[in-house]
Amino acid sequence: MLRAWTAYSVTAAVVTLVAAVLISLVGGAGITRAVWLSAGFAFVLQTVAFAMLLLVRDRTELFMAGWLGGMVLRF
């Protein structure tokens, strides 16, 4: 379980960083702080939601609850 979460976290971090850098470069100095704050917030939420899903992935009766919990967290 830890290996899956680590792989997901590293991949999510790379994708988030690349997207934040590109958007910051295109958007200019005025939006840089908002982009990086949003990227950090999104990364944390995504990794927490994925961890919740990993905790219930072997229990089919709780899988939908974990998935919905992650969606509510993101909302």
Side-chain angles (χ1 to χ4, degrees):
M1 183 167 31
L2 183 61
R3 188 170 148 185
W5 186 81
T6 302
Y8 180 83
S9 296
V10 168
T11 303
V14 169
V15 170
T16 303
L17 285 172
V18 168
V21 166
L22 291 175
I23 293 169
S24 293
L25 290 173
V26 172
I31 67 166
T32 301
R33 182 174 173 171
V35 167
W36 285 101
L37 181 66
S38 298
F41 191 67
F43 174 74
V44 170
L45 284 178
Q46 283 294 115
T47 53
V48 168
F50 188 72
M52 287 172 45
L53 194 59
L54 282 178
L55 289 175
V56 296
R57 73 177 172 179
D58 294 332
R59 300 185 58 192
T60 55
E61 70 276 3
L62 293 178
F63 182 80
M64 185 60 82
W67 183 67
L68 289 173
M71 288 189 62
V72 168
L73 182 66
R74 286 183 206 101
F75 182 70

